[in-house]
PDB file of all heavy atoms in Angstrom:
ATOM      1  N   LEU M 148      -3.595  -7.810   4.741  1.00  0.00           N
ATOM      2  CA  LEU M 148      -2.443  -8.257   5.518  1.00  0.00           C
ATOM      3  C   LEU M 148      -2.675  -9.597   6.195  1.00  0.00           C
ATOM      4  O   LEU M 148      -1.714 -10.310   6.494  1.00  0.00           O
ATOM      5  CB  LEU M 148      -2.091  -7.202   6.573  1.00  0.00           C
ATOM      6  CG  LEU M 148      -1.837  -5.780   6.047  1.00  0.00           C
ATOM      7  CD1 LEU M 148      -1.473  -4.855   7.201  1.00  0.00           C
ATOM      8  CD2 LEU M 148      -0.746  -5.774   4.988  1.00  0.00           C
ATOM      9  N   ALA M 149      -3.914  -9.947   6.474  1.00  0.00           N
ATOM     10  CA  ALA M 149      -4.235 -11.242   7.094  1.00  0.00           C
ATOM     11  C   ALA M 149      -5.719 -11.501   6.920  1.00  0.00           C
ATOM     12  O   ALA M 149      -6.517 -10.568   6.809  1.00  0.00           O
ATOM     13  CB  ALA M 149      -3.861 -11.247   8.578  1.00  0.00           C
ATOM     14  N   THR M 150      -6.104 -12.780   6.889  1.00  0.00           N
ATOM     15  CA  THR M 150      -7.516 -13.159   6.740  1.00  0.00           C
ATOM     16  C   THR M 150      -7.794 -14.402   7.578  1.00  0.00           C
ATOM     17  O   THR M 150      -6.881 -15.152   7.939  1.00  0.00           O
ATOM     18  CB  THR M 150      -7.866 -13.480   5.280  1.00  0.00           C
ATOM     19  OG1 THR M 150      -7.054 -14.602   4.838  1.00  0.00           O
ATOM     20  CG2 THR M 150      -7.595 -12.293   4.363  1.00  0.00           C
ATOM     21  N   ASN M 151      -9.082 -14.630   7.889  1.00  0.00           N
ATOM     22  CA  ASN M 151      -9.458 -15.917   8.476  1.00  0.00           C
ATOM     23  C   ASN M 151     -10.174 -16.759   7.420  1.00  0.00           C
ATOM     24  O   ASN M 151     -10.421 -16.311   6.292  1.00  0.00           O
ATOM     25  CB  ASN M 151     -10.289 -15.734   9.746  1.00  0.00           C
ATOM     26  CG  ASN M 151     -11.668 -15.126   9.478  1.00  0.00           C
ATOM     27  OD1 ASN M 151     -12.065 -14.899   8.339  1.00  0.00           O
ATOM     28  ND2 ASN M 151     -12.400 -14.865  10.550  1.00  0.00           N
ATOM     29  N   ALA M 152     -10.512 -18.006   7.778  1.00  0.00           N
ATOM     30  CA  ALA M 152     -11.084 -18.932   6.796  1.00  0.00           C
ATOM     31  C   ALA M 152     -12.423 -18.438   6.264  1.00  0.00           C
ATOM     32  O   ALA M 152     -12.713 -18.574   5.067  1.00  0.00           O
ATOM     33  CB  ALA M 152     -11.235 -20.314   7.424  1.00  0.00           C
ATOM     34  N   ALA M 153     -13.264 -17.842   7.124  1.00  0.00           N
ATOM     35  CA  ALA M 153     -14.568 -17.367   6.669  1.00  0.00           C
ATOM     36  C   ALA M 153     -14.419 -16.239   5.648  1.00  0.00           C
ATOM     37  O   ALA M 153     -15.180 -16.171   4.672  1.00  0.00           O
ATOM     38  CB  ALA M 153     -15.389 -16.882   7.868  1.00  0.00           C
ATOM     39  N   TYR M 154     -13.457 -15.361   5.848  1.00  0.00           N
ATOM     40  CA  TYR M 154     -13.209 -14.285   4.885  1.00  0.00           C
ATOM     41  C   TYR M 154     -12.762 -14.868   3.547  1.00  0.00           C
ATOM     42  O   TYR M 154     -13.224 -14.453   2.483  1.00  0.00           O
ATOM     43  CB  TYR M 154     -12.141 -13.345   5.439  1.00  0.00           C
ATOM     44  CG  TYR M 154     -11.805 -12.161   4.544  1.00  0.00           C
ATOM     45  CD1 TYR M 154     -12.411 -10.928   4.750  1.00  0.00           C
ATOM     46  CD2 TYR M 154     -10.889 -12.275   3.511  1.00  0.00           C
ATOM     47  CE1 TYR M 154     -12.110  -9.838   3.940  1.00  0.00           C
ATOM     48  CE2 TYR M 154     -10.581 -11.201   2.695  1.00  0.00           C
ATOM     49  CZ  TYR M 154     -11.197  -9.981   2.921  1.00  0.00           C
ATOM     50  OH  TYR M 154     -10.888  -8.919   2.113  1.00  0.00           O
ATOM     51  N   ARG M 155     -11.873 -15.853   3.610  1.00  0.00           N
ATOM     52  CA  ARG M 155     -11.384 -16.458   2.359  1.00  0.00           C
ATOM     53  C   ARG M 155     -12.503 -17.185   1.633  1.00  0.00           C
ATOM     54  O   ARG M 155     -12.553 -17.200   0.399  1.00  0.00           O
ATOM     55  CB  ARG M 155     -10.221 -17.403   2.671  1.00  0.00           C
ATOM     56  CG  ARG M 155      -8.985 -16.687   3.199  1.00  0.00           C
ATOM     57  CD  ARG M 155      -7.784 -17.607   3.263  1.00  0.00           C
ATOM     58  NE  ARG M 155      -7.911 -18.654   4.276  1.00  0.00           N
ATOM     59  CZ  ARG M 155      -7.575 -18.522   5.551  1.00  0.00           C
ATOM     60  NH1 ARG M 155      -7.117 -17.351   5.989  1.00  0.00           N
ATOM     61  NH2 ARG M 155      -7.697 -19.525   6.395  1.00  0.00           N
ATOM     62  N   ASP M 156     -13.411 -17.795   2.383  1.00  0.00           N
ATOM     63  CA  ASP M 156     -14.559 -18.455   1.759  1.00  0.00           C
ATOM     64  C   ASP M 156     -15.462 -17.448   1.047  1.00  0.00           C
ATOM     65  O   ASP M 156     -15.939 -17.692  -0.058  1.00  0.00           O
ATOM     66  CB  ASP M 156     -15.379 -19.205   2.815  1.00  0.00           C
ATOM     67  CG  ASP M 156     -14.755 -20.537   3.194  1.00  0.00           C
ATOM     68  OD1 ASP M 156     -13.884 -21.010   2.445  1.00  0.00           O
ATOM     69  OD2 ASP M 156     -15.130 -21.092   4.241  1.00  0.00           O
ATOM     70  N   LEU M 157     -15.729 -16.324   1.701  1.00  0.00           N
ATOM     71  CA  LEU M 157     -16.662 -15.353   1.147  1.00  0.00           C
ATOM     72  C   LEU M 157     -16.078 -14.614  -0.045  1.00  0.00           C
ATOM     73  O   LEU M 157     -16.752 -14.390  -1.053  1.00  0.00           O
ATOM     74  CB  LEU M 157     -17.078 -14.352   2.228  1.00  0.00           C
ATOM     75  CG  LEU M 157     -18.047 -13.244   1.792  1.00  0.00           C
ATOM     76  CD1 LEU M 157     -19.369 -13.842   1.306  1.00  0.00           C
ATOM     77  CD2 LEU M 157     -18.299 -12.269   2.935  1.00  0.00           C
ATOM     78  N   PHE M 158     -14.820 -14.232   0.048  1.00  0.00           N
ATOM     79  CA  PHE M 158     -14.243 -13.344  -0.971  1.00  0.00           C
ATOM     80  C   PHE M 158     -13.313 -14.038  -1.953  1.00  0.00           C
ATOM     81  O   PHE M 158     -12.637 -13.378  -2.742  1.00  0.00           O
ATOM     82  CB  PHE M 158     -13.504 -12.198  -0.287  1.00  0.00           C
ATOM     83  CG  PHE M 158     -14.401 -11.318   0.521  1.00  0.00           C
ATOM     84  CD1 PHE M 158     -14.307 -11.284   1.901  1.00  0.00           C
ATOM     85  CD2 PHE M 158     -15.367 -10.539  -0.086  1.00  0.00           C
ATOM     86  CE1 PHE M 158     -15.144 -10.476   2.660  1.00  0.00           C
ATOM     87  CE2 PHE M 158     -16.206  -9.729   0.661  1.00  0.00           C
ATOM     88  CZ  PHE M 158     -16.097  -9.697   2.034  1.00  0.00           C
ATOM     89  N   LEU M 159     -13.257 -15.366  -1.895  1.00  0.00           N
ATOM     90  CA  LEU M 159     -12.442 -16.113  -2.861  1.00  0.00           C
ATOM     91  C   LEU M 159     -10.994 -15.617  -2.895  1.00  0.00           C
ATOM     92  O   LEU M 159     -10.403 -15.467  -3.958  1.00  0.00           O
ATOM     93  CB  LEU M 159     -13.034 -16.015  -4.269  1.00  0.00           C
ATOM     94  CG  LEU M 159     -14.290 -16.821  -4.567  1.00  0.00           C
ATOM     95  CD1 LEU M 159     -14.755 -16.586  -5.995  1.00  0.00           C
ATOM     96  CD2 LEU M 159     -14.048 -18.307  -4.343  1.00  0.00           C
ATOM     97  N   VAL M 160     -10.407 -15.357  -1.736  1.00  0.00           N
ATOM     98  CA  VAL M 160      -9.053 -14.802  -1.697  1.00  0.00           C
ATOM     99  C   VAL M 160      -8.031 -15.673  -2.424  1.00  0.00           C
ATOM    100  O   VAL M 160      -7.228 -15.161  -3.203  1.00  0.00           O
ATOM    101  CB  VAL M 160      -8.619 -14.535  -0.238  1.00  0.00           C
ATOM    102  CG1 VAL M 160      -7.135 -14.187  -0.174  1.00  0.00           C
ATOM    103  CG2 VAL M 160      -9.431 -13.391   0.341  1.00  0.00           C
ATOM    104  N   PRO M 161      -8.012 -16.996  -2.225  1.00  0.00           N
ATOM    105  CA  PRO M 161      -6.998 -17.776  -2.958  1.00  0.00           C
ATOM    106  C   PRO M 161      -7.102 -17.608  -4.466  1.00  0.00           C
ATOM    107  O   PRO M 161      -6.097 -17.513  -5.164  1.00  0.00           O
ATOM    108  CB  PRO M 161      -7.285 -19.226  -2.527  1.00  0.00           C
ATOM    109  CG  PRO M 161      -7.978 -19.093  -1.215  1.00  0.00           C
ATOM    110  CD  PRO M 161      -8.812 -17.848  -1.329  1.00  0.00           C
ATOM    111  N   GLU M 162      -8.343 -17.565  -4.984  1.00  0.00           N
ATOM    112  CA  GLU M 162      -8.515 -17.431  -6.423  1.00  0.00           C
ATOM    113  C   GLU M 162      -8.153 -16.022  -6.906  1.00  0.00           C
ATOM    114  O   GLU M 162      -7.486 -15.846  -7.927  1.00  0.00           O
ATOM    115  CB  GLU M 162      -9.967 -17.742  -6.809  1.00  0.00           C
ATOM    116  CG  GLU M 162     -10.340 -19.215  -6.684  1.00  0.00           C
ATOM    117  CD  GLU M 162     -10.716 -19.608  -5.260  1.00  0.00           C
ATOM    118  OE1 GLU M 162     -10.539 -18.774  -4.354  1.00  0.00           O
ATOM    119  OE2 GLU M 162     -11.176 -20.747  -5.056  1.00  0.00           O
ATOM    120  N   ILE M 163      -8.588 -15.014  -6.154  1.00  0.00           N
ATOM    121  CA  ILE M 163      -8.357 -13.637  -6.576  1.00  0.00           C
ATOM    122  C   ILE M 163      -6.880 -13.290  -6.520  1.00  0.00           C
ATOM    123  O   ILE M 163      -6.350 -12.591  -7.382  1.00  0.00           O
ATOM    124  CB  ILE M 163      -9.189 -12.670  -5.713  1.00  0.00           C
ATOM    125  CG1 ILE M 163     -10.671 -12.797  -6.089  1.00  0.00           C
ATOM    126  CG2 ILE M 163      -8.738 -11.229  -5.892  1.00  0.00           C
ATOM    127  CD1 ILE M 163     -11.596 -11.967  -5.237  1.00  0.00           C
ATOM    128  N   VAL M 164      -6.167 -13.792  -5.512  1.00  0.00           N
ATOM    129  CA  VAL M 164      -4.747 -13.485  -5.398  1.00  0.00           C
ATOM    130  C   VAL M 164      -3.977 -14.052  -6.579  1.00  0.00           C
ATOM    131  O   VAL M 164      -2.958 -13.518  -6.981  1.00  0.00           O
ATOM    132  CB  VAL M 164      -4.197 -14.003  -4.052  1.00  0.00           C
ATOM    133  CG1 VAL M 164      -2.672 -13.983  -4.028  1.00  0.00           C
ATOM    134  CG2 VAL M 164      -4.739 -13.161  -2.907  1.00  0.00           C
ATOM    135  N   ARG M 165      -4.469 -15.145  -7.171  1.00  0.00           N
ATOM    136  CA  ARG M 165      -3.806 -15.658  -8.363  1.00  0.00           C
ATOM    137  C   ARG M 165      -3.896 -14.659  -9.517  1.00  0.00           C
ATOM    138  O   ARG M 165      -3.048 -14.616 -10.386  1.00  0.00           O
ATOM    139  CB  ARG M 165      -4.469 -16.960  -8.828  1.00  0.00           C
ATOM    140  CG  ARG M 165      -4.345 -18.137  -7.895  1.00  0.00           C
ATOM    141  CD  ARG M 165      -4.791 -19.388  -8.646  1.00  0.00           C
ATOM    142  NE  ARG M 165      -5.050 -20.488  -7.724  1.00  0.00           N
ATOM    143  CZ  ARG M 165      -6.239 -21.043  -7.557  1.00  0.00           C
ATOM    144  NH1 ARG M 165      -7.272 -20.591  -8.224  1.00  0.00           N
ATOM    145  NH2 ARG M 165      -6.387 -22.047  -6.729  1.00  0.00           N
ATOM    146  N   ALA M 166      -4.975 -13.868  -9.508  1.00  0.00           N
ATOM    147  CA  ALA M 166      -5.252 -13.018 -10.660  1.00  0.00           C
ATOM    148  C   ALA M 166      -4.886 -11.562 -10.448  1.00  0.00           C
ATOM    149  O   ALA M 166      -4.796 -10.815 -11.401  1.00  0.00           O
ATOM    150  CB  ALA M 166      -6.750 -13.106 -10.997  1.00  0.00           C
ATOM    151  N   ALA M 167      -4.687 -11.122  -9.222  1.00  0.00           N
ATOM    152  CA  ALA M 167      -4.437  -9.711  -8.950  1.00  0.00           C
ATOM    153  C   ALA M 167      -3.622  -9.571  -7.680  1.00  0.00           C
ATOM    154  O   ALA M 167      -3.388 -10.539  -6.968  1.00  0.00           O
ATOM    155  CB  ALA M 167      -5.767  -8.959  -8.800  1.00  0.00           C
ATOM    156  N   VAL M 168      -3.191  -8.353  -7.408  1.00  0.00           N
ATOM    157  CA  VAL M 168      -2.449  -8.109  -6.180  1.00  0.00           C
ATOM    158  C   VAL M 168      -3.393  -8.273  -4.991  1.00  0.00           C
ATOM    159  O   VAL M 168      -4.594  -8.068  -5.116  1.00  0.00           O
ATOM    160  CB  VAL M 168      -1.850  -6.686  -6.165  1.00  0.00           C
ATOM    161  CG1 VAL M 168      -0.857  -6.508  -7.285  1.00  0.00           C
ATOM    162  CG2 VAL M 168      -2.935  -5.629  -6.258  1.00  0.00           C
ATOM    163  N   PRO M 169      -2.868  -8.663  -3.798  1.00  0.00           N
ATOM    164  CA  PRO M 169      -3.744  -8.844  -2.634  1.00  0.00           C
ATOM    165  C   PRO M 169      -4.157  -7.506  -2.037  1.00  0.00           C
ATOM    166  O   PRO M 169      -3.725  -7.121  -0.962  1.00  0.00           O
ATOM    167  CB  PRO M 169      -2.881  -9.669  -1.670  1.00  0.00           C
ATOM    168  CG  PRO M 169      -1.476  -9.331  -2.041  1.00  0.00           C
ATOM    169  CD  PRO M 169      -1.493  -9.099  -3.528  1.00  0.00           C
ATOM    170  N   ASN M 170      -5.001  -6.802  -2.747  1.00  0.00           N
ATOM    171  CA  ASN M 170      -5.483  -5.488  -2.327  1.00  0.00           C
ATOM    172  C   ASN M 170      -6.959  -5.414  -2.693  1.00  0.00           C
ATOM    173  O   ASN M 170      -7.348  -5.755  -3.814  1.00  0.00           O
ATOM    174  CB  ASN M 170      -4.692  -4.384  -3.023  1.00  0.00           C
ATOM    175  CG  ASN M 170      -5.208  -2.998  -2.719  1.00  0.00           C
ATOM    176  OD1 ASN M 170      -6.158  -2.519  -3.337  1.00  0.00           O
ATOM    177  ND2 ASN M 170      -4.580  -2.333  -1.761  1.00  0.00           N
ATOM    178  N   VAL M 171      -7.788  -4.986  -1.736  1.00  0.00           N
ATOM    179  CA  VAL M 171      -9.238  -5.020  -1.943  1.00  0.00           C
ATOM    180  C   VAL M 171      -9.651  -4.166  -3.133  1.00  0.00           C
ATOM    181  O   VAL M 171     -10.371  -4.630  -4.034  1.00  0.00           O
ATOM    182  CB  VAL M 171      -9.972  -4.539  -0.675  1.00  0.00           C
ATOM    183  CG1 VAL M 171     -11.470  -4.491  -0.926  1.00  0.00           C
ATOM    184  CG2 VAL M 171      -9.667  -5.452   0.503  1.00  0.00           C
ATOM    185  N   LEU M 172      -9.218  -2.908  -3.172  1.00  0.00           N
ATOM    186  CA  LEU M 172      -9.636  -2.026  -4.252  1.00  0.00           C
ATOM    187  C   LEU M 172      -9.106  -2.490  -5.595  1.00  0.00           C
ATOM    188  O   LEU M 172      -9.807  -2.422  -6.607  1.00  0.00           O
ATOM    189  CB  LEU M 172      -9.164  -0.596  -3.968  1.00  0.00           C
ATOM    190  CG  LEU M 172     -10.050   0.239  -3.053  1.00  0.00           C
ATOM    191  CD1 LEU M 172      -9.442   1.617  -2.851  1.00  0.00           C
ATOM    192  CD2 LEU M 172     -11.452   0.367  -3.617  1.00  0.00           C
ATOM    193  N   TRP M 173      -7.861  -2.953  -5.619  1.00  0.00           N
ATOM    194  CA  TRP M 173      -7.289  -3.412  -6.890  1.00  0.00           C
ATOM    195  C   TRP M 173      -8.129  -4.557  -7.451  1.00  0.00           C
ATOM    196  O   TRP M 173      -8.435  -4.589  -8.645  1.00  0.00           O
ATOM    197  CB  TRP M 173      -5.841  -3.842  -6.686  1.00  0.00           C
ATOM    198  CG  TRP M 173      -5.061  -3.881  -7.964  1.00  0.00           C
ATOM    199  CD1 TRP M 173      -5.124  -4.836  -8.933  1.00  0.00           C
ATOM    200  CD2 TRP M 173      -4.122  -2.903  -8.422  1.00  0.00           C
ATOM    201  NE1 TRP M 173      -4.274  -4.528  -9.967  1.00  0.00           N
ATOM    202  CE2 TRP M 173      -3.649  -3.345  -9.680  1.00  0.00           C
ATOM    203  CE3 TRP M 173      -3.636  -1.715  -7.898  1.00  0.00           C
ATOM    204  CZ2 TRP M 173      -2.696  -2.631 -10.409  1.00  0.00           C
ATOM    205  CZ3 TRP M 173      -2.700  -1.009  -8.621  1.00  0.00           C
ATOM    206  CH2 TRP M 173      -2.237  -1.457  -9.858  1.00  0.00           C
ATOM    207  N   GLY M 174      -8.523  -5.487  -6.578  1.00  0.00           N
ATOM    208  CA  GLY M 174      -9.350  -6.589  -7.046  1.00  0.00           C
ATOM    209  C   GLY M 174     -10.714  -6.140  -7.514  1.00  0.00           C
ATOM    210  O   GLY M 174     -11.191  -6.552  -8.581  1.00  0.00           O
ATOM    211  N   LEU M 175     -11.384  -5.273  -6.736  1.00  0.00           N
ATOM    212  CA  LEU M 175     -12.730  -4.841  -7.097  1.00  0.00           C
ATOM    213  C   LEU M 175     -12.758  -4.044  -8.400  1.00  0.00           C
ATOM    214  O   LEU M 175     -13.729  -4.112  -9.157  1.00  0.00           O
ATOM    215  CB  LEU M 175     -13.328  -4.002  -5.965  1.00  0.00           C
ATOM    216  CG  LEU M 175     -13.618  -4.742  -4.657  1.00  0.00           C
ATOM    217  CD1 LEU M 175     -14.168  -3.780  -3.613  1.00  0.00           C
ATOM    218  CD2 LEU M 175     -14.585  -5.894  -4.871  1.00  0.00           C
ATOM    219  N   PHE M 176     -11.717  -3.271  -8.667  1.00  0.00           N
ATOM    220  CA  PHE M 176     -11.703  -2.440  -9.868  1.00  0.00           C
ATOM    221  C   PHE M 176     -11.198  -3.175 -11.110  1.00  0.00           C
ATOM    222  O   PHE M 176     -11.476  -2.743 -12.229  1.00  0.00           O
ATOM    223  CB  PHE M 176     -10.842  -1.197  -9.644  1.00  0.00           C
ATOM    224  CG  PHE M 176     -11.571  -0.038  -9.009  1.00  0.00           C
ATOM    225  CD1 PHE M 176     -11.329   0.306  -7.699  1.00  0.00           C
ATOM    226  CD2 PHE M 176     -12.505   0.693  -9.729  1.00  0.00           C
ATOM    227  CE1 PHE M 176     -11.998   1.370  -7.107  1.00  0.00           C
ATOM    228  CE2 PHE M 176     -13.175   1.754  -9.155  1.00  0.00           C
ATOM    229  CZ  PHE M 176     -12.929   2.097  -7.833  1.00  0.00           C
ATOM    230  N   THR M 177     -10.451  -4.249 -10.932  1.00  0.00           N
ATOM    231  CA  THR M 177      -9.798  -4.844 -12.103  1.00  0.00           C
ATOM    232  C   THR M 177     -10.294  -6.241 -12.447  1.00  0.00           C
ATOM    233  O   THR M 177     -10.042  -6.712 -13.554  1.00  0.00           O
ATOM    234  CB  THR M 177      -8.272  -4.907 -11.897  1.00  0.00           C
ATOM    235  OG1 THR M 177      -7.972  -5.745 -10.761  1.00  0.00           O
ATOM    236  CG2 THR M 177      -7.694  -3.521 -11.655  1.00  0.00           C
ATOM    237  N   LEU M 178     -10.992  -6.902 -11.526  1.00  0.00           N
ATOM    238  CA  LEU M 178     -11.460  -8.244 -11.832  1.00  0.00           C
ATOM    239  C   LEU M 178     -12.817  -8.216 -12.535  1.00  0.00           C
ATOM    240  O   LEU M 178     -13.594  -7.275 -12.378  1.00  0.00           O
ATOM    241  CB  LEU M 178     -11.570  -9.064 -10.546  1.00  0.00           C
ATOM    242  CG  LEU M 178     -10.231  -9.465  -9.925  1.00  0.00           C
ATOM    243  CD1 LEU M 178     -10.456 -10.117  -8.575  1.00  0.00           C
ATOM    244  CD2 LEU M 178      -9.460 -10.400 -10.839  1.00  0.00           C
ATOM    245  N   PRO M 179     -13.132  -9.233 -13.320  1.00  0.00           N
ATOM    246  CA  PRO M 179     -14.433  -9.301 -13.986  1.00  0.00           C
ATOM    247  C   PRO M 179     -15.581  -9.316 -12.987  1.00  0.00           C
ATOM    248  O   PRO M 179     -15.421  -9.707 -11.835  1.00  0.00           O
ATOM    249  CB  PRO M 179     -14.363 -10.629 -14.763  1.00  0.00           C
ATOM    250  CG  PRO M 179     -12.913 -10.920 -14.884  1.00  0.00           C
ATOM    251  CD  PRO M 179     -12.252 -10.349 -13.688  1.00  0.00           C
ATOM    252  N   ARG M 180     -16.758  -8.903 -13.450  1.00  0.00           N
ATOM    253  CA  ARG M 180     -17.941  -8.858 -12.579  1.00  0.00           C
ATOM    254  C   ARG M 180     -18.252 -10.247 -12.007  1.00  0.00           C
ATOM    255  O   ARG M 180     -18.735 -10.359 -10.867  1.00  0.00           O
ATOM    256  CB  ARG M 180     -19.135  -8.325 -13.373  1.00  0.00           C
ATOM    257  CG  ARG M 180     -20.392  -8.084 -12.546  1.00  0.00           C
ATOM    258  CD  ARG M 180     -20.186  -6.965 -11.551  1.00  0.00           C
ATOM    259  NE  ARG M 180     -21.366  -6.715 -10.732  1.00  0.00           N
ATOM    260  CZ  ARG M 180     -22.246  -5.734 -10.972  1.00  0.00           C
ATOM    261  NH1 ARG M 180     -22.056  -4.912 -11.999  1.00  0.00           N
ATOM    262  NH2 ARG M 180     -23.281  -5.550 -10.185  1.00  0.00           N
ATOM    263  N   GLU M 181     -17.959 -11.296 -12.756  1.00  0.00           N
ATOM    264  CA  GLU M 181     -18.240 -12.645 -12.266  1.00  0.00           C
ATOM    265  C   GLU M 181     -17.439 -12.985 -11.009  1.00  0.00           C
ATOM    266  O   GLU M 181     -17.833 -13.859 -10.241  1.00  0.00           O
ATOM    267  CB  GLU M 181     -17.943 -13.694 -13.345  1.00  0.00           C
ATOM    268  CG  GLU M 181     -18.856 -13.623 -14.545  1.00  0.00           C
ATOM    269  CD  GLU M 181     -18.216 -12.828 -15.680  1.00  0.00           C
ATOM    270  OE1 GLU M 181     -17.642 -11.751 -15.410  1.00  0.00           O
ATOM    271  OE2 GLU M 181     -18.284 -13.301 -16.827  1.00  0.00           O
ATOM    272  N   LEU M 182     -16.302 -12.334 -10.820  1.00  0.00           N
ATOM    273  CA  LEU M 182     -15.458 -12.603  -9.665  1.00  0.00           C
ATOM    274  C   LEU M 182     -15.616 -11.559  -8.565  1.00  0.00           C
ATOM    275  O   LEU M 182     -14.957 -11.653  -7.533  1.00  0.00           O
ATOM    276  CB  LEU M 182     -13.982 -12.672 -10.093  1.00  0.00           C
ATOM    277  CG  LEU M 182     -13.601 -13.797 -11.039  1.00  0.00           C
ATOM    278  CD1 LEU M 182     -12.128 -13.689 -11.413  1.00  0.00           C
ATOM    279  CD2 LEU M 182     -13.886 -15.146 -10.429  1.00  0.00           C
TER     280      LEU M 182
END
Side-chain angles (χ1 to χ4, degrees):
L148 305 181
T150 61
N151 67 4
Y154 181 96
R155 294 190 292 273
D156 281 344
L157 179 61
F158 296 112
L159 286 179
V160 170
E162 289 83 352
I163 288 176
V164 167
R165 295 192 196 116
V168 297
N170 175 277
V171 176
L172 277 179
W173 199 284
L175 293 178
F176 274 107
T177 62
L178 288 173
R180 186 66 181 261
E181 294 97 315
L182 296 178

